[in-house]
Amino acid sequence: MMDAWGGAPVKTELSALEEVNSSGPQEKNFENRKELVDLLKHAVKTTRFYSSFDSGSFFSFPVITKATIKESYDNFVSDAFERDSLYEMTTSGSTGTPFTCLHDYGKKKSTYAEVLYYNGMIGYDIGRRIIYLRSVVEECSKTPLQQFMQNIYLVDCHDLSDAGIESLLDRIRELSTRNGAMLMGYASTLDAFRDYFRRKGVAKAEGVKLYGVASGSEMLFDDTREAIQQAFGCRCVSRYSNEENGFLAQDLFHNNEFVINKAHFIYEVLSMNSDEPAAEGEVGRIVITDLRNYSMPMIRYDTGDVGRLVDLSTDKGECYSAIVDFGGRRVDVIYDCYGNRISPHSVTNLMWRYTDVNQYQLVQKDESSYLLKLNVPDAFSRDQELIADLMKVLGGESRLMIERVADIPVLASRKRRYIVNECGMHRDDRSAEAQ
């Protein structure tokens, strides 16, 4: 009703998602698509960064990264909008690089439509309950009234010890008993549930009534998916999304075969070593153009992820485009100084308030010693504040040192490990980045 009063922007976007995403694979000559043509004209006309480029030649636009935007931030902001009217979207640094981008009203509503569209694929409808397992910080928290009004409940998953998981199960059971709920969480959190069910048995999930589970942020292992589906008796899907752009893809037909959101984005896969298209069948860098963000145009944005873009067919002969061989993030398991397994997102979400950090990496050296590597501007002076925040996560008896570095190298997969466990303590080797 509120959407209808406001001109139905969410309903309009939802209709576009349903129509465009079901219309076959991404077109080969996408540079002639009207939405892209309009975006390029807008970017050239209203931003300083793009003002010198030819709006009629998509491939003349440069490939950009988070670093490109951070180095020339104001030049990316469109002068067609009042700055105070825009919404800040801050990534928590789950690739080791905290980042804030701006969304206009239209982009924000298109993201709402994506929530309805992708959650709807696993049973969600407006008004049904969602339980969101995450490391809750002030920047992403909701008041009790907001949670009640939206029927979205944030449950802090900082503690992933057996006792912590049992507490989480009790809370999920409490929230889902009456009318069921959808569960959203990090893949690493679901890994911890998988390990717990292996030790304790899936009977520990009795009384939990879920109609779907959606995983994101890192790679979802097949055995984790199977364990979650067995324990909760519902479908579990993996989602490819980020804070700066929204819902990029979701696996629908086969595990980790991510069907793209071509209604809202243009997808390219470029060579690992140049900005030329990757050879057919070759894994390359995933580069997207956001067709909905006019306040901070993100044209040919290198997501930092790798994969192959292929056209596939369902058993019914329906064609679609999907990202396969996706190099999703994997993270090490780390523990606080008392030996309790903790969510790596307790660290990344803490970084919401440190957007002036260029890169970081937290290394667990032994049971209670940690090293934080920081790539920061010379003027950065918040070391002690950052140490105090991290000590709350790692435990009051932990020993934490900071090392300033010029760069934190990426692996062959182009991933930068932001959490590293060097002490081997209860380590699950499968969660380490493949070298």
Side-chain angles (χ1 to χ4, degrees):
M1 184 169 61
M2 292 175 64
D3 185 56
W5 285 341
V10 177
K11 183 177 180 180
T12 300
E13 286 290 353
L14 184 57
S15 296
L17 285 163
E18 293 169 343
E19 178 182 354
V20 177
N21 284 347
S22 63
S23 64
Q26 176 175 275
E27 53 266 49
K28 301 302 181 185
N29 297 319
F30 58 76
E31 64 269 26
N32 297 320
R33 184 173 167 181
K34 183 180 184 303
E35 291 167 300
L36 178 59
V37 171
D38 291 345
L39 174 69
L40 299 184
K41 290 179 179 178
H42 168 83
V44 169
K45 182 179 179 180
T46 69
T47 72
R48 290 191 294 274
F49 182 85
Y50 290 114
S51 61
S52 63
F53 294 99
D54 178 6
S55 63
S57 177
F58 172 74
F59 293 107
S60 71
F61 282 65
V63 175
I64 62 171
T65 65
K66 287 180 182 178
T68 312
I69 298 174
K70 291 180 77 169
E71 289 167 3
S72 189
Y73 195 86
D74 289 339
N75 291 338
F76 276 90
V77 182
S78 169
D79 62 19
F81 297 86
E82 293 291 335
R83 190 71 170 260
D84 292 344
S85 71
L86 303 179
Y87 305 88
E88 289 190 351
M89 300 300 295
T90 301
T91 71
S92 57
S94 59
T95 58
T97 308
F99 175 64
T100 296
C101 72
L102 300 174
H103 286 182
D104 55 81
Y105 179 81
K107 172 62 179 176
K108 188 175 181 67
K109 293 303 181 180
S110 73
T111 304
Y112 284 163
E114 291 168 356
V115 172
L116 298 178
Y117 177 74
Y118 284 102
N119 287 351
M121 292 180 177
I122 53 174
Y124 177 75
D125 200 1
I126 295 173
R128 298 197 76 180
R129 178 162 293 179
I130 295 177
I131 302 169
Y132 198 169
L133 299 181
R134 67 177 304 159
S135 295
V136 179
V137 293
E138 181 179 352
E139 288 81 357
C140 66
S141 63
K142 294 177 182 288
T143 67
L145 178 60
Q146 287 175 317
Q147 294 186 62
F148 173 76
M149 293 292 290
Q150 297 176 5
N151 213 9
I152 299 175
Y153 289 83
L154 304 185
V155 178
D156 197 330
C157 63
H158 162 70
D159 182 3
L160 294 177
S161 65
D162 284 357
I165 289 177
E166 287 165 5
S167 177
L168 288 174
L169 286 171
D170 287 342
R171 181 59 173 155
I172 295 169
R173 188 177 293 110
E174 175 189 354
L175 290 171
S176 66
T177 296
R178 291 187 61 186
N179 298 309
M182 175 181 168
L183 183 70
M184 299 174 63
Y186 312 114
S188 56
T189 301
L190 300 184
D191 286 343
F193 275 82
R194 173 204 62 206
D195 296 340
Y196 173 83
F197 290 136
R198 282 177 176 171
R199 294 190 302 272
K200 304 291 187 177
V202 296
K204 291 289 187 177
E206 287 183 2
V208 173
K209 297 180 180 179
L210 299 179
Y211 58 82
V213 178
S215 166
S217 191
E218 308 116 3
M219 179 63 70
L220 178 65
F221 294 110
D222 287 349
D223 61 345
T224 298
R225 190 192 308 254
E226 292 166 5
I228 294 301
Q229 291 181 158
Q230 180 184 7
F232 297 127
C234 63
R235 187 180 181 191
C236 178
V237 302
S238 184
R239 183 171 290 160
Y240 175 29
S241 62
N242 60 36
E243 291 286 348
E244 60 265 36
N245 301 118
F247 290 67
L248 298 175
Q250 183 168 288
D251 59 8
L252 300 178
F253 307 114
H254 302 286
N255 291 357
N256 294 317
E257 181 184 278
F258 295 88
V259 181
I260 65 171
N261 176 11
K262 65 190 185 73
H264 287 171
F265 303 96
I266 298 293
Y267 298 76
E268 299 176 81
V269 175
L270 304 183
S271 169
M272 300 292 278
N273 301 313
S274 74
D275 290 342
E276 297 299 315
E280 186 174 353
E282 181 181 61
V283 171
R285 298 144 53 212
I286 299 173
V287 174
I288 62 101
T289 295
D290 190 333
L291 298 173
R292 292 298 187 265
N293 192 352
Y294 272 58
S295 57
M296 179 177 272
M298 299 180 75
I299 299 164
R300 309 194 77 193
Y301 172 64
D302 188 331
T303 63
D305 297 310
V306 297
R308 288 191 299 127
L309 182 62
V310 296
D311 292 342
L312 301 170
S313 298
T314 67
D315 295 338
K316 298 179 180 179
E318 300 166 329
C319 296
Y320 60 95
S321 296
I323 295 169
V324 299
D325 296 334
F326 179 65
R329 294 184 288 274
R330 298 184 177 107
V331 296
D332 281 5
V333 175
I334 62 169
Y335 299 81
D336 66 18
C337 66
Y338 308 111
N340 298 312
R341 181 174 181 168
I342 61 174
S343 168
H345 296 279
S346 300
V347 177
T348 60
N349 283 0
L350 177 155
M351 299 302 294
W352 283 66
R353 59 180 69 96
Y354 296 97
T355 55
D356 43 352
V357 171
N358 295 324
Q359 301 165 340
Y360 73 91
Q361 183 182 78
L362 178 67
V363 182
Q364 183 165 15
K365 306 295 287 186
D366 59 34
E367 285 81 354
S368 59
S369 297
Y370 307 84
L371 172 66
L372 180 66
K373 298 181 180 181
L374 283 181
N375 173 1
V376 292
D378 292 339
F380 185 82
S381 60
R382 303 173 67 188
D383 296 51
Q384 294 307 311
E385 180 186 352
L386 182 50
I387 288 174
D389 280 342
L390 277 171
M391 293 284 279
K392 296 174 185 176
V393 173
L394 302 174
E397 297 180 17
S398 59
R399 299 184 299 277
L400 175 63
M401 295 185 62
I402 287 183
E403 176 186 352
R404 298 286 182 95
V405 297
D407 185 46
I408 297 173
V410 297
L411 304 173
S413 63
R414 298 184 69 243
K415 297 298 177 183
R416 181 179 290 108
R417 290 171 66 186
Y418 68 98
I419 298 289
V420 178
N421 185 330
E422 289 186 349
C423 71
M425 178 180 170
H426 306 297
R427 180 169 172 169
D428 181 350
D429 288 330
R430 294 175 317 153
S431 69
E433 179 72 59
Q435 297 289 343

